[in-house]
Structure formats: structure tokens, C-alpha cells
């Protein structure tokens, strides 16, 4: 089993190229809320003109949004969601949920609640197995042995990594700070690889290095960061020489459904259903296909049925 091959095979890399960074998540959030025009998106997200232009171009190129003329006189366009873009709504809901659950000040900038008009209840989105409808949890998923084709896949992921700079999660006070944490974790390829390796049970420094073929300075930096943000916890298992283990905290484990939902989107929309590898859901012994549903009415949430509420608890 190799984590690099898993992430490349699942086309997580493609999903992340589209939605992995914070600006993309913010733009998508606003598009799901019904914002369609450039100036309004710029005002809401706080993105610079250049940044927003790049993100929108990338969304159009990747068939997430399409441009639609709304004024023939000024040749003005607005941005609308494609079917593929609409498919990202679930991942967007789960990112929002994770950030609200785990980041203390998130409530200042994110809506506190979601309301589901299909059932008239507060919306709690849950990732479930399409077959048996049980919630998707780490311990219930069996991973395949993917030890072949390592060289090629490793080259691919390294090449993609070089194009991506690590983002600082500290921003100036003027910007919209929502989704900073979740995007700094899933938007950074190495952090995500380490998190996935942890899902697979890797916990020692040497094992991470072997699984990920990662330079030691990068590995040390990312492990420290993940401990700092509370996704991993460090345990000493040997004093002389000192050696540590890194285990997922509850906060780290709760990223699992989000990662699985992003994987499912990549399989459905990028790989057109042809996942190179199959994960098995141990509860029903079926290949894992992930759905997102409202915990209350079991329906799949769509933007038109979901209202964001900013009231206090
Ligand atoms: Zn199942
Ligand atoms: Zn509902």
C-alpha cells in the first residue's frame, strides 16, 4: 500500500487543483449562495482583482462555472454553476461544517447554522455509504494494496507539488477569514498526504518518510504544523534516542468524511466513474460510494433547499 499512489489514483489531486485553496472555496461558497457577478464576488471574498480573475478562469476551464451574458450593451458576464460545479456543493457543506465544529473563531465569519427547507430543520450534512446508508467512518473502510506503479505515480505527485506553494494561514485583518483552516489543510498537498497516511494507520516518522517519499525537512515542518493545529497529537514511544508517534486527534479524524466526499466527486466528475482503485465498506462489504444527505430527512442537500443563518445560538 502506498499513499502517493492512492491519492493519484483517486484523482484527489485533480479535485484539489480545482477546489483545494482557500480562495476557490470562498468563491464557491458565494456562488452557492447565489452570488454571480465579478464585483459582488470580489466584495464578498475580499480577493484581489487578479486573484479572483485567475480563480474564475480556472473554474471556467475546469467546467465548474460557465459564463453567461447578462447585459448585451456592456458585454457583461455572470458566472453560473455547471452540473459538475453543483456536484461540489456537498464538499463545500462539509468544509463549512468542519470549520464551524473545530475552529473557535469561525462563528464570527461563517453562518452559524444551515437550514434545510426540505424538512424544515437545521441541516446537518452527513457522508453516508450509498449502499447501506451508514455514516462513513475511518474504521469501516478497507483500503486496497496499491504497491505497484509507484515510480510513475510518485513522479506525478511530485511534479504537481512543485506547482503549488504552501499558503500561510495568517492573513491581514481585512480579508474574509472563513475556511482558512480547512483549506490550509486540504489545499496543501503534503499536509493532505500526511493526513491520508494517518487514515491508513501510519504513525511513525520513518513510516511517513517511507510511504510518502518526502524530504525530511518538509515532513518535519508539516508534522509540526499538523500538531500545532490539533489534527495530529505527538506521543513519545522511545527516550533514547527520542522517537515520536503522530496519531490523529478527533479533529483530524473528522476530516475523513470530507476527504471521502472530495474523492467521490473526483471519481464521478473527473474519472467519469472509473476509479482506478476500490475501497470497500466493511459494514456492507460493498465498494464504497459516498453520498451526502441531511441527517434529518435523508435527502441530498442542494443549494436551492439550503439557507444560511447568521443568528446567535
Ligand atoms: Zn455500506
Ligand atoms: Zn432535511
Amino acid at each position: 500500500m502506498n499513499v502517493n499512489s492512492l491519492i493519484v489514483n483517486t484523482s484527489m489531486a485533480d479535485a484539489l487543483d480545482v477546489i483545494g485553496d482557500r480562495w476557490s472555496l470562498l468563491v464557491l461558497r458565494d456562488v452557492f449562495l447565489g452570488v454571480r457577478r465579478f464585483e459582488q464576488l470580489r466584495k464578498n471574498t475580499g480577493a484581489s482583482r487578479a486573484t479572483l480573475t485567475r480563480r474564475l478562469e480556472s473554474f471556467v476551464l475546469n467546467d465548474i462555472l460557465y459564463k453567461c451574458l447578462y447585459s448585451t450593451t456592456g458585454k457583461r458576464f455572470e458566472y453560473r454553476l455547471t452540473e459538475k460545479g453543483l456536484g461540489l456543493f456537498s464538499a463545500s457543506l462539509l468544509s463549512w461544517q468542519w470549520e464551524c465544529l473545530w475552529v473557535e473563531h469561525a462563528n464570527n465569519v461563517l453562518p452559524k447554522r444551515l437550514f434545510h427547507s426540505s424538512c424544515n430543520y437545521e441541516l446537518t450534512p452527513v457522508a453516508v455509504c450509498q449502499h447501506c446508508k451508514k455514516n462513513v467512518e475511518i474504521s469501516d473502510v478497507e483500503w486496497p494494496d496499491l504497491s505497484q506503479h509507484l515510480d510513475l505515480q510518485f513522479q506525478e505527485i511530485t511534479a504537481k507539488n512543485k506547482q503549488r506553494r504552501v499558503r500561510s494561514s495568517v492573513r491581514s485583518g481585512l480579508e474574509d477569514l472563513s475556511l482558512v483552516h480547512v483549506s490550509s489543510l486540504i489545499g496543501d498537498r503534503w499536509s493532505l498526504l500526511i493526513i491520508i497516511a494517518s487514515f491508513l494507520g501510519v504513525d511513525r516518522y520513518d513510516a511517513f518518510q517511507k510511504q510518502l517519499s518526502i524530504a525530511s525537512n518538509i515532513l518535519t515542518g508539516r508534522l509540526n504544523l499538523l500538531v500545532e493545529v490539533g489534527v495530529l497529537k505527538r506521543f513519545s514511544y522511545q527516550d533514547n534516542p527520542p522517537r515520536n508517534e503522530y496519531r490523529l486527534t478527533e479533529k483530524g479524524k473528522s476530516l475523513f468524511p470530507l476527504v471521502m466526499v472530495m474523492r467521490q466527486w473526483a471519481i464521478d466528475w473527473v474519472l467519469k466513474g472509473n476509479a482506478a482503485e476500490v475501497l470497500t465498506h466493511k459494514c456492507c462489504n460493498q465498494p464504497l460510494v459516498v453520498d451526502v444527505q441531511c441527517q434529518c430527512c435523508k435527502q441530498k442537500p442542494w443549494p436551492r433547499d439550503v439557507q444560511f443563518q447568521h443568528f446567535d445560538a
Side-chain angles (χ1 to χ4, degrees):
M1 182 157 48
N2 179 285
V3 178
N4 280 318
S5 59
L6 182 70
I7 197 170
V8 173
N9 272 339
T10 57
S11 208
M12 280 291 297
D14 293 309
L16 289 169
D17 282 340
V18 179
I19 60 161
D21 74 278
R22 192 174 70 98
W23 290 119
S24 302
L25 284 172
L26 285 178
V27 171
L28 271 181
R29 175 201 64 180
D30 286 340
V31 173
F32 287 132
L33 287 169
V35 181
R36 298 203 168 123
R37 297 183 183 173
F38 188 92
E39 281 309 320
Q40 197 61 41
L41 285 168
R42 199 168 74 85
K43 209 173 131 210
N44 285 20
T45 59
S48 72
R49 217 163 255 287
T51 301
L52 182 59
T53 303
R54 274 200 304 275
R55 290 309 183 280
L56 289 170
E57 276 170 3
S58 153
F59 279 146
V60 171
L61 194 73
N62 285 288
D63 193 30
I64 304 294
L65 298 176
Y66 65 96
K67 281 164 93 170
C68 189
L69 205 63
Y70 75 85
S71 150
T72 43
T73 47
K75 285 241 163 101
R76 291 174 179 277
F77 292 94
E78 59 181 29
Y79 294 87
R80 296 197 184 164
L81 285 161
T82 61
E83 284 285 303
K84 184 179 175 184
L86 204 56
L88 282 167
F89 187 56
S90 298
S92 181
L93 283 178
L94 289 186
S95 333
W96 167 84
Q97 187 184 40
W98 188 88
E99 187 98 4
C100 274
L101 268 177
W102 295 104
V103 182
E104 216 173 293
H105 63 267
N107 279 345
N108 299 331
V109 284
L110 284 171
K112 286 183 171 54
R113 307 230 172 125
L114 298 176
F115 178 76
H116 198 210
S117 57
S118 309
C119 61
N120 259 343
Y121 264 94
E122 190 173 326
L123 174 68
T124 304
V126 282
V128 299
C129 163
Q130 194 180 62
H131 188 77
C132 69
K133 309 293 180 196
K134 288 204 173 124
N135 288 13
V136 171
E137 284 170 24
I138 300 181
S139 51
D140 298 332
V141 175
E142 197 173 290
W143 307 78
D145 183 343
L146 296 165
S147 50
Q148 310 95 335
H149 318 303
L150 292 190
D151 292 347
L152 183 69
Q153 282 150 1
F154 178 62
Q155 283 165 13
E156 195 176 332
I157 193 113
T158 312
K160 288 214 172 192
N161 243 315
K162 277 185 188 145
Q163 299 158 9
R164 189 174 279 275
R165 279 175 295 136
V166 183
R167 290 164 199 87
S168 160
S169 56
V170 183
R171 307 275 168 165
S172 75
L174 292 172
E175 292 172 7
D176 185 337
L177 285 171
S178 49
L179 305 174
V180 165
H181 288 78
V182 70
S183 57
S184 69
L185 295 173
I186 63 170
D188 174 55
R189 194 72 43 87
W190 285 124
S191 299
L192 184 74
L193 278 170
I194 291 169
I195 290 167
I196 292 181
S198 305
F199 290 159
L200 291 165
V202 176
D203 55 9
R204 296 193 174 175
Y205 190 93
D206 294 347
F208 279 114
Q209 202 162 29
K210 190 163 163 246
Q211 283 281 352
L212 304 173
S213 311
I214 184 174
S216 57
N217 60 330
I218 297 176
L219 179 58
T220 304
R222 293 304 196 285
L223 285 171
N224 288 341
L225 181 85
L226 291 170
V227 169
E228 203 179 303
V229 299
V231 162
L232 295 177
K233 196 163 187 307
R234 191 184 281 120
F235 294 91
S236 164
Y237 68 90
Q238 183 182 305
D239 290 337
N240 192 18
R243 292 279 182 270
N244 296 313
E245 272 180 9
Y246 297 85
R247 294 184 212 146
L248 284 165
T249 59
E250 286 307 309
K251 182 177 180 179
K253 283 180 193 166
S254 74
L255 282 166
F256 186 71
L258 169 62
V259 171
M260 287 296 106
V261 167
M262 286 172 55
R263 169 183 178 271
Q264 191 63 54
W265 177 82
I267 292 170
D268 292 345
W269 291 99
V270 184
L271 299 173
K272 314 284 183 204
N274 300 310
E277 88 302 333
V278 175
L279 306 187
T280 307
H281 195 225
K282 291 188 213 164
C283 301
C284 59
N285 216 18
Q286 294 292 315
L288 180 69
V289 179
V290 180
D291 264 347
V292 171
Q293 62 181 37
C294 164
Q295 193 174 44
C296 172
C297 68
K298 317 292 181 203
Q299 300 295 306
K300 188 178 174 71
W302 295 104
R304 62 173 181 277
D305 312 319
V306 178
Q307 282 86 48
F308 291 76
Q309 297 178 338
H310 280 277
F311 54 76
D312 286 327

